[in-house]
Amino acid sequence: MTDTPLHLLTATAALARLRAGTLTVEAYAQALLHRIAQRDDAVRAWAYLDPEYVLEQARALDGVPADKRGPLHGLPIGVKDVIYTKDMPTQHNSPIYKGSFPKVDSASIMILRHAGALIFGKTATTEFAATTVGPKTRNPHSATVDRTPGGSSSGSGAAVGDAQVPLALATQTGGSTIRPASFNGIYALKPTWGAVSREGQKVYSLLLDTLGWYAREVADLALLADVLGVRDDEPSPGPTFRGLSGARFALCQSPVWSQAGPGTRAALSRAAAILRAHGATIDELTLPPSFAAVPEWHRVLLHTDGRATFLPEHRVAKGDLHGSLAVYVDTPGFSRREQLAAQDGIAALRPKFDELAASYDAVLTPSVVDEAPEGLGWTGEAAFCSALHVPVVNIPGFQGENGMPIGVSLVAPRFHDRRLLKVAEAVGRVFEAEGGWTRRLL
Amino acid sequence: MTDTPLHLLTATAALARLRAGTLTVEAYAQALLHRIAQRDDAVRAWAYLDPEYVLEQARALDGVPADKRGPLHGLPIGVKDVIYTKDMPTQHNSPIYKGSFPKVDSASIMILRHAGALIFGKTATTEFAATTVGPKTRNPHSATVDRTPGGSSSGSGAAVGDAQVPLALATQTGGSTIRPASFNGIYALKPTWGAVSREGQKVYSLLLDTLGWYAREVADLALLADVLGVRDDEPSPGPTFRGLSGARFALCQSPVWSQAGPGTRAALSRAAAILRAHGATIDELTLPPSFAAVPEWHRVLLHTDGRATFLPEHRVAKGDLHGSLAVYVDTPGFSRREQLAAQDGIAALRPKFDELAASYDAVLTPSVVDEAPEGLGWTGEAAFCSALHVPVVNIPGFQGENGMPIGVSLVAPRFHDRRLLKVAEAVGRVFEAEGGWTRRLL
């Protein structure tokens, strides 16, 4: 019997071995560091990584008595470099914050560290998680041509996609968590807005920013959801999911379907066919005309919130702020009246979407325009993002014209995150088995 | 001619002297430090103050060439100790953060420091600006009996009220900016939610938290509003204010008027009489019945947002977290369904309130239940707070049964902040002259 290489273990599998005492935190960390050493030239996922410090922390964790160990004891987690870590710099891929080292943990890191997680290093991001200009990171699934891993959570997506860590933290304001998940062939959860504290994570838009995370299986997403306190009402107000047979899905092309490329169109239609073949019904969900304004309102919020958010950096070092962000301050672009119309308009649609989605096990919708484009400079179109505060899971399993992974999104009403994860587990199993794309990691 | 003692200068007056070169930053800082040395035993406004470091910064500012000076050059500002300052600890009045020193500035401090402000020290707050348990701070206007300065911005309110600094930063989630302003007889601006970045300021509720500030005249509030980027649409969509004669005000008792004490009732009715005597008209504004739910929805949001916000501290050191905050995690109290009903319900009322207020020069409403109560343990009732995101200015000038100051609030639609400040300047002049309470500072 050939044992799975340690770096390919899912978080759940690794935890089982760590708990059983058949794997030490140090040995696991060593295996991941070895993987990174082999692959870093090709992938370049990390903004900050100190192998010596990782091993020192790992040995300290190995020294914790069994009865003092937390639920994530020894589990390595990559952290997007817009999230504060008290023991590592946080630089936002901005020259203004080069070497910046706020000696405080974000809310999420406080919780994860207390649960015993091994905070591994900081992953590459676009500037302030707010531009579409890619960092140096390469998509691990494209060996020959340079392709983007997506953004803004570029390094977290690539690191999990390449089996350099089992889990990584991301953030989303437009499509920053879901897009890299699709491009890197991994699972992502963007939970309901407000389910997890965003304290200590760089602000772009208070009404849109959400912490998310990546893994290579749904059970691993659920692990973090448990520890980070993501809870639905109990009993769940949605339909009880009893497997794909008899389940009801809605297919929602979203207001920006016209931009979807052939890969995404094929993935959605194959996804629907697979679910139907497993006994589920798929309804077409056409959103009422009032939803047509959401993409434009989302754009207004990015601009108007960016105006307040990036004012400090604009004042202090305008020349070091990317032009696509400086413009929010230089050219306000939208009036206060338009800003409020966007805020209020989206707010009024949130309960309406919840109601439309409430009777389904999940709503199926595109994750991205298409597979990862060539080049590292542009992290992809953010068209299919969501201002509706609903939980989203990216499910991999499909591929585009160049064999690059494409995922589809499952969506549920706000605070139906745990129910959505249950559905995603069953859906992920069949999409990965029958969707046509297979993760090839050595 | 007796010159005004330096500590009694308003920010605007001090800036004029600093600009004219008739006052050095060091001499001004010395005068304030002297005031603090005399008064600190009685008021105890500061959580962190290093006089040597203040003077060092002051001398550095004096060394900046005239053509390199910012618009707030040399102006001392107190900072509530829930706002990050890269050169001073930020401890949130919590044993969990004792000695905590995130080496990064909040967005507001970045802007103010770049404008040349002298970041003076950190002011006392209730724990995480989220409990009603007062810090050690005493109301400077009560010489004999211990009275609260209000909370949670206790130290900022008392320091400005006692002329220890001309300006100080506050925050508001319920009534944390407006209440201490009323209790300390000073002006406060709580700007429209989202007008100023709240990055680097401890989170309690993302949908409610707002940066605010204190001064002893409206012109000083406007100074900070200028620098912090508070802007209305131009031309302003509201009525043009041409002085009190002919102005139109609405008197809104708010849904919690039944709790108002005799001091606040008398202040509101005197306020209305003064405005009428100056030629303004006052309409009664009765909010539609749908607004009756706002106080309860506000309470739901504090509880449900607190559940996510204080989870990290609850996990790491529950014993060191105040019981009134730990309960949010221990006993969720409200369902997700109730949480969303509160979020969506308040969101739907915001544009409705804007519309109701739009035709008035300002809406007059209570700032507090009554004058500052006795004792330091309880910072006062947060009943008259606002979840509506509208700008609020506290205007001093009235007094309660024990001669303690009472203010009233002027409110305008969202993003009418600058128009509101213009109205507040005229209103403040007559309330201070005719309201019955006079600031007695030596």
Side-chain angles (χ1 to χ4, degrees):
Chain A
M1 176 190 142
T2 317
D3 210 15
T4 310
L6 292 175
H7 65 273
L8 294 184
L9 292 177
T10 63
T12 303
L15 263 189
R17 295 200 195 180
L18 289 162
R19 281 180 193 153
T22 58
L23 176 64
T24 65
V25 182
E26 185 180 3
Y28 187 29
Q30 282 280 19
L32 296 180
L33 289 170
H34 181 69
R35 170 73 175 173
I36 292 169
Q38 284 188 309
R39 293 284 296 164
D40 195 46
D41 277 353
V43 181
R44 306 188 292 241
W46 299 90
Y48 180 88
L49 182 72
D50 177 348
E52 282 311 309
Y53 179 67
V54 168
L55 292 172
E56 187 188 307
Q57 297 297 305
R59 286 188 289 265
L61 284 163
D62 280 326
V64 174
D67 63 334
K68 300 252 190 271
R69 295 182 175 188
L72 301 183
H73 184 80
L75 203 63
I77 298 183
V79 179
K80 185 176 181 177
D81 198 28
V82 293
I83 298 171
Y84 291 163
T85 42
K86 68 180 177 188
D87 51 358
M88 298 173 194
T90 302
Q91 303 178 88
H92 313 290
N93 190 17
S94 161
I96 302 171
Y97 291 86
K98 196 167 162 55
S100 184
F101 203 141
K103 298 196 175 289
V104 65
D105 278 340
S106 75
S108 50
I109 297 296
M110 273 180 83
I111 292 171
L112 295 173
R113 208 189 282 278
H114 182 258
L118 173 58
I119 306 304
F120 214 76
K122 306 300 280 284
T123 62
T125 173
T126 70
E127 188 176 325
F128 299 120
T131 76
T132 55
V133 183
K136 58 187 177 174
T137 312
R138 295 177 71 251
N139 192 309
H141 301 299
S142 182
T144 49
V145 185
D146 269 0
R147 287 181 188 270
T148 177
S152 64
S153 309
S154 317
S156 283
V160 172
D162 195 47
Q164 299 184 8
V165 276
L167 292 168
L169 298 186
T171 67
Q172 175 151 322
T173 306
S176 283
T177 295
I178 296 301
R179 184 173 45 242
S182 182
F183 286 0
N184 292 288
I186 55 177
Y187 290 89
L189 172 64
K190 182 206 82 66
T192 300
W193 183 91
V196 179
S197 172
R198 57 81 36 79
E199 175 118 50
Q201 162 186 331
K202 186 79 176 88
V203 174
Y204 181 3
S205 166
L206 288 185
L207 288 172
L208 302 170
D209 297 350
T210 313
L211 183 79
W213 49 92
Y214 294 133
R216 290 189 302 275
E217 66 171 21
V218 174
D220 290 2
L221 295 180
L223 259 182
L224 285 205
D226 284 345
V227 169
L228 292 169
V230 178
R231 302 275 179 277
D232 299 354
D233 277 337
E234 288 180 18
S236 166
T240 305
F241 181 71
R242 300 181 199 286
L244 293 179
S245 177
R248 280 187 71 209
F249 292 87
L251 179 62
C252 177
Q253 295 178 336
S254 93
V256 282
W257 181 248
S258 61
Q259 294 169 47
T264 281
R265 287 172 186 258
L268 258 288
S269 98
R270 186 146 185 180
I274 293 171
L275 293 176
R276 280 198 197 93
H278 284 270
T281 60
I282 318 270
D283 294 350
E284 194 81 29
L285 174 60
T286 306
L287 296 174
S290 53
F291 283 81
V294 172
E296 174 62 10
W297 282 337
H298 186 267
R299 203 170 73 86
V300 173
L301 289 189
L302 291 181
H303 202 120
T304 54
D305 288 352
R307 178 181 175 187
T309 297
F310 297 111
L311 181 62
E313 289 82 8
H314 189 277
R315 287 277 173 80
V316 168
K318 182 183 168 183
D320 285 335
L321 184 65
H322 191 263
S324 65
L325 306 179
V327 75
Y328 297 155
V329 181
D330 285 328
T331 311
F334 299 99
S335 66
R336 296 305 199 181
R337 179 180 295 269
E338 289 167 307
Q339 177 174 0
L340 293 174
Q343 276 185 23
D344 297 340
I346 293 176
L349 292 180
R350 288 186 193 118
K352 286 193 183 140
F353 183 84
D354 287 352
E355 208 184 316
L356 290 168
S359 57
Y360 295 103
D361 288 287
V363 175
L364 199 61
T365 194
S367 286
V368 287
V369 168
D370 211 314
E371 64 183 352
E374 286 190 24
L376 302 182
W378 183 68
T379 60
E381 179 59 59
F384 297 113
C385 58
S386 169
L388 298 171
H389 288 181
V390 293
V392 186
V393 174
N394 179 72
I395 316 253
F398 306 95
Q399 62 183 344
E401 290 175 321
N402 298 286
M404 295 294 293
I406 291 185
V408 299
S409 285
L410 288 186
V411 175
R414 290 173 294 173
F415 288 121
H416 289 220
D417 304 53
R418 304 314 305 250
R419 190 169 69 74
L420 181 65
L421 285 172
K422 284 204 188 81
V423 177
E425 189 148 28
V427 171
R429 213 171 295 126
V430 296
F431 285 2
E432 286 208 76
E434 303 166 32
W437 180 78
T438 308
R439 193 179 294 120
R440 287 174 208 89
L441 292 173
L442 297 172
Chain B
M1 175 191 143
T2 316
D3 210 17
T4 311
L6 292 176
H7 65 273
L8 295 184
L9 292 176
T10 63
T12 303
L15 263 189
R17 295 201 194 181
L18 289 162
R19 281 179 193 154
T22 58
L23 176 63
T24 65
V25 182
E26 185 179 3
Y28 188 30
Q30 282 280 17
L32 296 180
L33 289 170
H34 181 68
R35 170 73 175 173
I36 293 169
Q38 285 187 309
R39 294 284 297 164
D40 195 47
D41 278 354
V43 180
R44 305 189 293 242
W46 299 90
Y48 179 88
L49 183 71
D50 177 349
E52 281 311 311
Y53 179 67
V54 168
L55 292 173
E56 187 187 308
Q57 298 297 305
R59 285 189 290 264
L61 284 163
D62 280 326
V64 174
D67 64 335
K68 300 250 189 271
R69 295 181 175 188
L72 302 183
H73 184 82
L75 203 62
I77 298 184
V79 178
K80 185 176 181 177
D81 198 27
V82 293
I83 298 170
Y84 290 164
T85 42
K86 68 180 178 188
D87 51 357
M88 299 174 192
T90 302
Q91 303 179 92
H92 312 290
N93 190 17
S94 160
I96 302 171
Y97 291 86
K98 197 168 163 54
S100 184
F101 203 140
K103 296 195 177 289
V104 66
D105 277 341
S106 74
S108 49
I109 297 296
M110 272 179 83
I111 292 171
L112 296 173
R113 209 190 282 279
H114 183 257
L118 174 58
I119 306 304
F120 213 76
K122 306 301 281 281
T123 60
T125 173
T126 69
E127 188 176 326
F128 299 119
T131 75
T132 55
V133 183
K136 59 189 177 173
T137 312
R138 294 178 70 251
N139 191 308
H141 300 299
S142 182
T144 49
V145 185
D146 268 1
R147 286 182 189 270
T148 177
S152 62
S153 309
S154 316
S156 283
V160 172
D162 196 46
Q164 300 182 9
V165 276
L167 292 168
L169 298 186
T171 67
Q172 173 150 322
T173 305
S176 284
T177 294
I178 296 302
R179 184 172 47 240
S182 182
F183 286 1
N184 292 289
I186 55 178
Y187 290 89
L189 172 64
K190 182 204 83 64
T192 300
W193 183 90
V196 179
S197 172
R198 56 81 36 78
E199 175 116 52
Q201 163 186 330
K202 186 78 176 88
V203 175
Y204 180 2
S205 166
L206 288 184
L207 287 173
L208 302 170
D209 298 350
T210 313
L211 184 79
W213 49 93
Y214 295 133
R216 290 189 303 274
E217 67 173 18
V218 173
D220 291 1
L221 295 181
L223 260 183
L224 285 206
D226 283 345
V227 169
L228 291 170
V230 178
R231 302 276 179 277
D232 299 355
D233 277 335
E234 287 180 19
S236 166
T240 305
F241 181 72
R242 300 181 199 284
L244 294 179
S245 177
R248 280 186 71 209
F249 292 87
L251 179 62
C252 177
Q253 296 179 337
S254 93
V256 282
W257 180 247
S258 60
Q259 294 169 48
T264 281
R265 287 171 187 259
L268 258 289
S269 98
R270 186 148 184 178
I274 293 171
L275 293 176
R276 279 199 198 93
H278 284 270
T281 59
I282 318 272
D283 294 350
E284 192 81 29
L285 173 61
T286 306
L287 297 174
S290 53
F291 283 82
V294 172
E296 174 63 9
W297 281 338
H298 186 267
R299 203 169 74 85
V300 172
L301 288 190
L302 291 180
H303 202 119
T304 53
D305 288 352
R307 180 182 174 187
T309 297
F310 298 112
L311 181 62
E313 289 82 8
H314 189 275
R315 287 276 173 80
V316 169
K318 183 183 165 181
D320 285 333
L321 184 64
H322 190 263
S324 65
L325 306 178
V327 74
Y328 296 155
V329 181
D330 286 328
T331 311
F334 299 99
S335 67
R336 297 304 200 182
R337 179 180 295 270
E338 289 167 308
Q339 178 173 0
L340 294 174
Q343 277 184 23
D344 297 339
I346 292 175
L349 292 180
R350 287 185 193 119
K352 287 194 181 142
F353 183 85
D354 287 350
E355 207 184 316
L356 290 168
S359 58
Y360 295 102
D361 288 287
V363 176
L364 199 61
T365 194
S367 286
V368 288
V369 168
D370 211 315
E371 64 183 351
E374 287 190 24
L376 302 183
W378 182 68
T379 59
E381 179 61 56
F384 297 113
C385 58
S386 169
L388 298 172
H389 288 181
V390 293
V392 186
V393 175
N394 179 73
I395 316 253
F398 307 94
Q399 62 184 344
E401 289 175 321
N402 297 287
M404 294 295 292
I406 291 184
V408 298
S409 284
L410 288 187
V411 175
R414 289 174 294 173
F415 288 121
H416 288 221
D417 304 52
R418 305 312 305 250
R419 191 169 69 74
L420 181 65
L421 284 172
K422 284 206 188 81
V423 178
E425 189 148 27
V427 171
R429 213 172 295 126
V430 297
F431 285 2
E432 285 210 77
E434 303 166 32
W437 179 78
T438 307
R439 193 180 293 121
R440 288 173 207 88
L441 292 173
L442 297 173

